[in-house]
Amino acid sequence: MRPSYDVPMADALEEARAALATGDVPIGAVVLDPDGAVVGRGHNVREAEGDPTGHAEIVALREAAGAAGTWRLEGCTLVVTLEPCTMCAGAAVLARVARVVFGAHDAKAGAVGSLWDVVRDRRLNHRPEVLAGVLAAESTTLLDEFFRERRVP
């Protein structure tokens, strides 16, 4: 039986809400160690830190690597509210995470099956398992509300 990722995704959604305080797009991520404990957390900080690599996944992976004392996050799970982009999907592959779990699909920039499929590219030496759609409605609603407030009528 597959473990439920609802609780870690709820943690990632809390991270996403934290991004709202700085005007960043509300995307959040957590990294779970092989036992399921959270070892990394992150939310978008591109606006807050003026960092083009300040995506939730990168922030969470960096924290997890620091906690583990190595860049190899073998056996870990990356849980993120929105399907990772090419940079973040590539980082998950390079970090050797065992699986990528995400909420909402991203038809415009998703690189875990929507627009590209970086994590399952057979030419790469590591291919994480993928689980999509966990608490997708909650993730989508948070993003829709964020962008609706910023659209010019």
Side-chain angles (χ1 to χ4, degrees), residues 131-149:
L131 179 60
V134 177
L135 300 185
E138 292 86 339
S139 297
T140 300
T141 298
L142 189 58
L143 288 162
D144 286 349
E145 289 172 358
F146 174 81
F147 287 113
R148 187 173 20 256
E149 291 173 7

Side-chain angles (χ1 to χ4, degrees), residues 2 5 61 73-79 84 88-102 111-113 117-132:
R2 177 182 296 282
Y5 289 100
L61 288 167
L73 299 176
E74 294 164 341
C76 290
T77 300
L78 172 63
V79 180
C88 296
V93 169
L94 293 173
R96 311 289 197 274
V97 299
R99 74 197 48 76
V100 174
V101 176
F102 69 89
V112 184
D117 201 352
V118 171
V119 299
R120 290 179 278 215
D121 190 318
R122 294 212 174 273
R123 295 169 292 183
L124 300 176
N125 66 340
H126 179 74
R127 288 178 296 283
E129 174 187 1
V130 174
L131 179 60

